[in-house]
Amino acid sequence: MTPIEITKENFQHEVTDAKGAVLLDFWAPWCGPCRMLTPVIDEVAAARPDLKVGKVNIDEQPELAVQFGVQSIPTLIAFKDGVKAKESVGFVPREMVESLLD
């Protein structure tokens, strides 16, 4: 599945109301580590059809960044049935991304 853009307008539907696992990538286009993480996130999204993957551009969605206390990017937050379960800050390899989903 291709990552979807998460905004404050679709957050409720795509994350809070979602059943199962959702992985959000808080990022910005000017962030080098975020750009390095993008292919990793794309690989995980392609390998896990059971998983919804979303990307939150913090420059365009600062309210969501504040809501989840994002102070450094990239930040990954895993949700299970609409509830925040795990979080990771900074670039991490694919294995660490997938461990957030356990």
Side-chain angles (χ1 to χ4, degrees):
M1 176 185 264
T2 303
I4 57 175
E5 181 179 349
I6 301 296
T7 66
K8 63 183 179 185
E9 290 78 22
N10 71 1
F11 183 85
Q12 176 82 30
H13 173 72
E14 297 292 351
V15 181
T16 307
D17 295 343
K19 298 295 179 212
V22 178
L23 179 67
L24 292 187
D25 175 15
F26 288 80
W27 72 287
W30 47 262
C31 167
C34 298
R35 290 193 306 268
M36 290 172 42
L37 188 60
T38 294
V40 174
I41 298 299
D42 291 345
E43 286 175 17
V44 171
R48 297 280 308 264
D50 61 314
L51 173 68
K52 183 183 288 188
V53 177
K55 296 186 69 74
V56 180
N57 182 330
I58 64 160
D59 289 339
E60 296 174 358
Q61 303 298 321
E63 300 91 346
L64 290 176
V66 169
Q67 179 179 344
F68 290 99
V70 174
Q71 296 183 358
S72 294
I73 53 173
T75 292
L76 300 176
I77 300 178
F79 293 81
K80 177 71 173 163
D81 296 326
V83 178
K84 180 179 172 180
K86 295 183 182 177
E87 181 175 336
S88 173
V89 178
F91 176 83
V92 291
R94 180 175 172 174
E95 297 78 27
M96 293 287 293
V97 173
E98 290 176 334
S99 75
L100 292 171
L101 306 169
D102 294 335

